[in-house]
Amino acid sequence: MEKVIVTGGAGFIGSHTCVELLEAGFEPVIVDDLRNSEERVLKGLEKIVSRELPIHRIDCGDAVALNKVFEAEKPSSVIHFAADKAVGESVREPLKYYSNNIGSLFTLLRVMEQHRVKDLVFSSSCTVYGDTDQLPVTENSPTGAAASPYGYTKVVCERMLRDASAADPLLRAVLLRYFNPIGAHPSGIIGELPIGVPNNLIPFITQAAAGIREKLTVFGDDYPTRDGSCIRDYIHVVDLAKAHVLALRWIAKQKAPVCDVFNLGTGTGNTVLEAVHTFEAENGVKVPYVIGPRRAGDVVAMYADTTKSSEVLGWRTELTLGDALRDAWRWQQTLGKAAVQ
Ligand code: NAD
Ligand code: WQD
């Protein structure tokens, strides 16, 4: 089986991707120091796939430790999820983000070079598009206007990969720009682990519905949208995970060097209030909420043009917003009150 190093494989998107990799016949090797995950995710993952998985609990920005992993595992390719991802925290602690997100990619590229591993899938984000009114956004929409230090680390990483691939004719890189990943594995065994008070909408909805949070605050109802709340492209994490398998297969078919970029969203935007009401209708549970002021830094609307990922990678979403919100609720029930901090 072809070995794939999965940095951040114990995280939200990484863990779901490991399930899909195994199903597709790849052997994922997880590299994660669990700074934003927990042992129980690894246990849950092993339960879903009914086997033990190779896991290296190291900082992937540690070149010596990462070298040893590459020496021992001899991977064919890498999917690099490991990064810090909290937008607000990145404003308060920008150097933490520049150091981990940019530093770990830099170290990884050096180690890949040393071991002649040439195939890489990188986790980027729709945040690279910043605030745009050209919707839906295509891969050619301007980038670089990212509003937060977190967003800017993704802009820099994308640029680093483009420059590295221009200089190394053998490097084959795919940059995946995720929109808003939500949901959980349908088994209810793995899902997102928000630490402390969630910043993201869906974990806040599930915690409010579970009574862990008193109520959700909808950040603004005076935007120029159909109901006044912001529009986002919410994509089921399992659909997202499957795109990584297709990206690896696509890379393997490339004869010429590549560094290409793909949007991963559903192509449909939903408002915050639509997400709340769909959650209530799908799960038969009320979400206590109030309308509050706008949140600084929020863009009015963002959704993907997915033509390229569907035509080139052959990727299509199979799951709906309703599926994702049912799976998110099932996962919340698995977590119980354990997420309270
Ligand atoms: P996550 O925090 O759940 O997973 C990231 C994992 O990486 C965690 O398990 C963490 O412990 C690990 N990690 C971080 N730095 C590390 C390091 N230096 N060494 C070893 N392990 C390290 O995040 P996620 O939601 O699964 O996001 C995965 C990737 O996708 C990130 O690069 C993120 O920026 C990107 N992304 C996420 C979203 C989103 O909304 N979740 C959207 C767009 C892009
Ligand atoms: C969604 C909508 C909020 C919480 C973030 C990152 C982005 C990417 C995806 C990594 C917005 C509203 C939220 C709440 C609310 N991540 N909301 N009440 O901001 O679109 O994107 O995650 O790359 O870079 O910025 O996601 O889930 O925080 O917000 O009304 O308590 O829900 O205003 O309109 P966002 P989100």
Side-chain angles (χ1 to χ4, degrees), residues 87 125 127 150 180 199-201 217-219 230 232 295 298:
V87 173
S125 166
T127 194
Y150 162 74
N180 288 55
N199 296 307
N200 294 116
L201 178 65
T217 301
V218 173
F219 297 140
C230 292
R232 296 290 183 274
R295 180 173 70 175
D298 271 339

Side-chain angles (χ1 to χ4, degrees), residues 3 28 36 47 49 62 64 73 97 100 138 209 220 308 313:
K3 275 193 186 174
N36 198 37
K47 191 170 169 197
V49 301
D62 175 344
V64 175
E73 301 286 358
Y97 280 71
N100 189 30
T138 75
K308 186 176 173 191
L313 299 179

